[in-house]
Amino acid sequence: WDAKGMEGSSNWSKFAVGPEGEHNWKGGWITHPSDMDTFDKKSGVSGDECGLWKLRRPLPLFRAQITSQDLLNGSSDDQISSALLVISGLGSFRVSFDGVPLSTSGPIDPPFTDYSKRVMYRGFDVTPFLLGDNGKMAQSHVIGVTLGSGWWDHRPVSGMAKPKLLPRGPVTVIAQVMITYTSGKTRVVGQTGGDGVNWQVSRGHIRESDLFTGEMVDLGVLGGMEGWDTSTGWSANSDIQTDSKNPYQEINKWIQPVSYRTEVTGEQRKQEMALKAKAMERSEAKSFPRRDNFAAPIGKLVPHEIPPVMAMERIAPDEIFDLGGGRWLIDYGKAFSGMLHFDEGVPTPIIPDDKRYPRAHGFKAASERGDSFITVIYGESLEMTTGDINRVLVAGLGQHDGGPRHVSKKEGHTKNAYCFPDDHDGILSQKDVYVVSKASKADGKALFSQARQSHFTTHSFRFAEVCCSAEPPRNAHALVYRTAVSEWGTFDS
């Protein structure tokens, strides 16, 4: 009945219930072996925080194979009624099934919480994939998971987001498929963890992903690994030994993941935060045993409680300006949070005539190797004297690389250079990079034309500089990302 007491009916809908508590999660958190070693003092991998962070790049991809044998329930008459994939990943994740993207969310999924206390998971109906065409099941299926750093393992630049106050660990994923049969019986397959079936991990195409400083995507690797999340792209585990000191040798080398492990308890982390916030005196602190596995603890899993972050608006450019040297300035008319979407692909890169890239658009290591690349820098305003993007007011809120200092400041006052990104030319910038290695066997022009947008980062901007290309990017729209809440009205002030 409605508000007026009138009888009515609604269309049939469908919902599913995920695991009811921690004890119903058969899967466990898994990670790349080399990444886990950077949080284990006994592993032999040493270095400072920044050095260890760099060893966890490029970011890993995860996949699992589910065979038709896994899906059988002992009787040919007992057919699959429904199948629900429940999954979460830290920092951020996107999931596919048989190569078909399932995630509708943007760059921050799961939502930002204190991950040492709780982590939200999502559920996806994968019943149509398992039933197949005309009720004929496929021989195997593949779950694919792409991960970004998110708020979990971003670049540890000092003075920026106080990463030491946030829980940190290697990027990790947990998943399982919950199947219900026509008989009412249930079964869990494809779970991560020690008894999981056929999960693999490899380093992939995202060289770096950061919510503040942007993302670097290796389009050559992305093209070379096409189909990695499908049955036809499945391969057996590689027999190579992982090399934590050279993670780039682990690209497209599929190996068995390891369980996420830590010796840090939730009580210990809570005390550490209280001490740092000066909410507890050190004389009151409890003593804990020496820890070798120092990754942050992961909190309990809870269902998604808020709408996801999604692309909620699409904006066409107001104007495009030729700044010379292959650099193009795009004005979208208003400031917002999001990223560019190249509808017709990233433009083909060129090298400036004098081989000198405009400020912050350089990529020294790539230039020395002869790699091709396109850079995008984002900002909310322009400098009054040059017309360039004002990088001081974005990303790190004016953080620079430590010098030169103002004469009024004491020596060492501006030492903010720790783990400062290469090629940002002194000011921390919002910068996305699309690169194709000279060693790539694929057609570089085709690879750039197939790229559309970055994955796990957002930028605050009105203006975007794209460099360097002979022509401006065609149909480069801006996507506005925000929490997908309904708009109820407007107001003026």
Side-chain angles (χ1 to χ4, degrees):
W1 290 267
D2 61 18
K4 296 180 180 179
M6 301 296 292
E7 184 177 352
S9 61
S10 61
N11 295 328
W12 285 100
S13 188
K14 182 180 181 180
F15 70 93
V17 178
E20 299 179 16
E22 293 283 306
H23 62 283
N24 283 327
W25 275 93
K26 305 301 182 184
W29 292 96
I30 57 173
T31 188
H32 195 291
S34 297
D35 289 355
M36 195 70 255
D37 285 346
T38 63
F39 286 89
D40 185 350
K41 294 178 181 178
K42 291 183 177 180
S43 67
V45 180
S46 60
D48 63 1
E49 187 176 23
C50 182
L52 294 175
W53 177 84
K54 291 179 179 179
L55 291 177
R56 298 193 289 274
R57 269 86 196 128
L59 286 121
L61 304 169
F62 291 83
R63 67 182 183 183
Q65 185 180 54
I66 301 174
T67 66
S68 56
Q69 192 67 31
D70 299 324
L71 302 174
L72 294 177
N73 195 38
S75 171
S76 59
D77 295 330
D78 204 0
Q79 302 297 314
I80 293 174
S81 175
S82 66
L84 179 69
L85 167 63
V86 287
I87 183 170
S88 190
L90 295 173
S92 299
F93 78 94
R94 289 184 181 178
V95 61
S96 63
F97 203 95
D98 290 342
V100 179
L102 299 180
S103 297
T104 56
S105 56
I108 306 175
D109 194 4
F112 183 33
T113 59
D114 183 345
Y115 297 134
S116 67
K117 294 183 178 179
R118 62 178 183 147
V119 180
M120 297 184 192
Y121 68 85
R122 298 192 70 193
F124 300 94
D125 183 6
V126 295
T127 311
F129 294 95
L130 300 188
L131 293 181
D133 297 330
N134 300 319
K136 184 178 180 180
M137 291 194 302
Q139 290 298 310
S140 63
H141 303 274
V142 174
I143 304 169
V145 187
T146 306
L147 286 168
S149 300
W151 289 104
W152 178 247
D153 192 25
H154 60 74
R155 177 183 283 271
V157 178
S158 60
M160 185 173 64
K162 305 297 182 185
K164 291 183 181 298
L165 299 180
L166 301 175
R168 177 185 289 272
V171 293
T172 178
V173 65
I174 186 171
Q176 64 186 39
V177 179
M178 304 169 64
I179 298 177
T180 301
Y181 296 89
T182 53
S183 65
K185 295 180 180 179
T186 61
R187 188 175 190 176
V188 171
V189 301
Q191 66 268 28
T192 51
D195 58 348
V197 291
N198 250 344
W199 275 91
Q200 295 181 331
V201 62
S202 169
R203 299 208 182 275
H205 58 283
I206 301 180
R207 292 191 185 181
E208 181 175 336
S209 165
D210 193 279
L211 290 173
F212 288 91
T213 58
E215 190 165 278
M216 184 180 296
V217 181
D218 191 323
L219 300 178
V221 172
L222 179 61
M225 296 183 70
E226 185 176 1
W228 65 272
D229 55 351
T230 66
S231 294
T232 55
W234 183 269
S235 59
N237 284 339
S238 172
D239 58 1
I240 68 159
Q241 296 294 318
T242 60
D243 182 5
S244 300
K245 297 181 179 179
N246 191 350
Y248 282 87
Q249 290 186 357
E250 298 173 343
I251 293 175
N252 204 13
K253 300 293 190 298
W254 294 98
I255 58 175
Q256 185 174 355
V258 297
S259 295
Y260 184 96
R261 61 184 185 272
T262 181
E263 296 171 359
V264 182
T265 64
E267 181 186 9
Q268 183 176 358
R269 172 167 168 75
K270 183 178 179 180
Q271 178 175 287
E272 288 176 355
M273 294 302 100
L275 291 171
K276 290 178 180 178
K278 298 182 179 179
M280 174 187 287
E281 298 293 335
R282 291 203 171 270
S283 59
E284 303 172 347
K286 179 181 177 181
S287 176
F288 289 93
R290 178 181 179 274
R291 59 188 188 187
D292 291 314
N293 293 299
F294 56 93
I298 300 177
K300 65 179 181 179
L301 287 156
V302 298
H304 229 272
E305 298 174 345
I306 61 174
V309 173
M310 297 177 62
M312 300 300 292
E313 188 178 352
R314 178 181 169 92
I315 302 176
D318 272 5
E319 294 184 88
I320 300 179
F321 302 93
D322 184 356
L323 301 181
R327 184 168 53 136
W328 306 92
L329 176 68
I330 310 175
D331 180 2
Y332 289 95
K334 65 177 182 180
F336 49 88
S337 177
M339 66 184 75
L340 292 195
H341 185 277
F342 297 93
D343 294 4
E344 299 186 32
V346 174
T348 302
I350 63 170
I351 300 175
D353 292 337
D354 58 2
K355 296 186 179 181
R356 295 181 60 184
Y357 284 87
R359 188 185 58 169
H361 282 286
F363 186 178
K364 184 178 178 181
S367 296
E368 291 176 348
R369 292 191 299 263
D371 300 343
S372 303
F373 60 92
I374 286 285
T375 54
V376 185
I377 291 179
Y378 298 81
E380 295 176 314
S381 63
L382 302 179
E383 291 186 2
M384 296 180 65
T385 54
T386 64
D388 294 338
I389 282 181
N390 187 344
R391 296 182 296 137
V392 174
L393 298 181
V394 295
L397 304 178
Q399 183 182 338
H400 54 86
D401 62 359
R405 65 181 177 87
H406 191 269
V407 293
S408 65
K409 303 297 182 182
K410 295 180 180 179
E411 189 72 35
H413 183 84
T414 58
K415 288 184 177 178
N416 291 323
Y418 183 75
C419 214
F420 197 88
D422 297 333
D423 303 312
H424 277 226
D425 286 355
I427 299 295
L428 201 65
S429 305
Q430 299 181 117
K431 179 178 180 180
D432 290 343
V433 182
Y434 302 89
V435 60
V436 174
S437 170
K438 183 180 180 180
S440 176
K441 298 178 180 180
D443 179 3
K445 184 177 180 179
L447 292 173
F448 282 104
S449 68
Q450 293 166 10
R452 293 296 182 265
Q453 66 179 81
S454 48
H455 301 73
F456 298 105
T457 184
T458 57
H459 306 289
S460 177
F461 72 104
R462 169 183 167 177
F463 303 95
E465 286 183 8
V466 180
C467 187
C468 296
S469 61
E471 297 180 355
R474 301 177 61 183
N475 290 329
H477 287 79
L479 299 181
V480 180
Y481 278 89
R482 62 172 174 82
T483 304
V485 294
S486 301
E487 293 187 4
W488 288 81
T490 61
F491 71 93
D492 296 316
S493 61

